[in-house]
Amino acid sequence: VDTLIGEYPELIFPVTASNYYPVGGNGYWIQNYAHEPAYLCGIIAGQMTETNQIGMVAGFPYASVNHLLNAFVAGAQSVNPDVEFKNSYIESWWDPVKAKETALAQIEAGADIIFSERYGGFEAARDKGMLAFAAQADVHDLAPETIITAPLMYWDPSIANMIEVWYDHEMNGTAYAASADEPVFFLMKDGGSALAPLYNFEDSLPADVLASYEDVKAQIMDGSFTVELNKGPVELE
């Protein structure tokens, strides 16, 4: 990619990867982050756990995964300082059986809510009659009594932004000026991420839990509250 960027300075090259470092100029690093809706999931989880033990089943310890886990943990701890987490990486992007087995082990160890970053973890919660959160896809219909919601990522604003940058360059001669350090991404208020509907949990969750969730969501959407984007390793005490 770096070679192509250098050879064709009049073209725009949007590249996405959680560990990609752009060269700047006409090479744009675009990325999606759903840390804000993950934080909101944590706010619900921190109030709904009865054991103060929450499990997290994830793929790999990459930035694209860790930012969700870190935000989920921060959200839960903001409403429940006593909550503890069991975090496991299954070292696979697709292994529902291993994800389910990992979540079952966390449940056996005391977890009563599962954050299923990988497909399969929520199945363990479903089989045990517990609650769970999915991630990056609205799969509520696969376990409607189990999956409360899920943080979602949307590419629409990033793609629209790249088209605008390209058009401005073509029509007005504006030089490409990609950052050499930071990705182009959009927050929840700008359409870069969202939370899947609560569906039946809109009626079944306790009123005080819904109120705190709605309050923080409103603050995120109006920009008065900032959720930290932490892509580093998940550090649990």
Side-chain angles (χ1 to χ4, degrees):
V1 174
D2 290 353
T3 301
L4 288 174
I5 291 172
E7 290 182 0
Y8 300 96
E10 293 306 307
L11 298 181
I12 186 172
F13 290 88
V15 181
T16 181
S18 65
N19 59 343
Y20 178 75
Y21 293 95
V23 296
N26 61 325
Y28 286 80
W29 178 21
I30 62 174
Q31 189 62 39
N32 273 355
Y33 298 114
H35 56 302
E36 293 168 315
Y39 186 92
L40 292 172
C41 291
I43 285 180
I44 296 174
Q47 296 175 90
M48 292 302 295
T49 177
E50 296 180 357
T51 65
N52 281 340
Q53 299 283 327
I54 296 176
M56 301 189 298
V57 180
F60 291 92
Y62 292 172
S64 58
V65 173
N66 286 341
H67 84 280
L68 294 169
L69 306 181
N70 282 319
F72 179 75
V73 168
Q77 290 177 337
S78 73
V79 294
N80 182 354
D82 296 324
V83 70
E84 297 179 352
F85 296 86
K86 305 178 188 303
N87 183 40
S88 300
Y89 298 99
I90 64 172
E91 300 295 327
S92 171
W93 292 124
W94 180 257
D95 193 337
V97 173
K98 188 173 183 180
K100 181 177 180 178
E101 291 174 347
T102 301
L104 285 172
Q106 293 177 345
I107 292 170
E108 288 299 316
D112 64 348
I113 293 177
I114 298 294
F115 183 78
S116 184
E117 191 274 331
R118 289 293 99 190
Y119 188 101
F122 60 79
E123 293 182 330
R126 177 200 63 197
D127 292 353
K128 293 295 185 178
M130 296 177 176
L131 298 175
F133 296 87
Q136 307 185 54
D138 182 3
V139 292
H140 174 81
D141 59 336
L142 297 181
E145 301 304 316
T146 298
I147 301 173
I148 298 176
T149 184
L152 308 175
M153 302 176 186
Y154 293 131
W155 286 105
D156 307 58
S158 296
I159 294 172
N161 176 254
M162 290 297 96
I163 293 173
E164 291 171 1
V165 170
W166 167 82
Y167 185 84
D168 191 28
H169 174 80
E170 290 292 315
M171 295 295 104
N172 304 315
T174 304
Y176 291 125
S179 169
D181 302 304
E182 296 295 331
V184 175
F185 72 95
F186 291 85
L187 297 172
M188 193 172 171
K189 64 183 179 64
D190 302 311
S193 62
L195 201 64
L198 295 176
Y199 295 102
N200 47 296
F201 288 96
E202 192 80 54
D203 297 320
S204 61
L205 288 176
D208 58 336
V209 173
L210 283 171
S212 60
Y213 152 79
E214 292 289 355
D215 179 55
V216 177
K217 180 180 178 181
Q219 293 179 52
I220 290 173
M221 295 301 287
D222 68 20
S224 61
F225 179 71
T226 300
V227 177
E228 180 186 5
L229 176 56
N230 182 356
K231 298 177 284 183
V234 178
E235 297 179 357
L236 303 174
E237 295 182 358

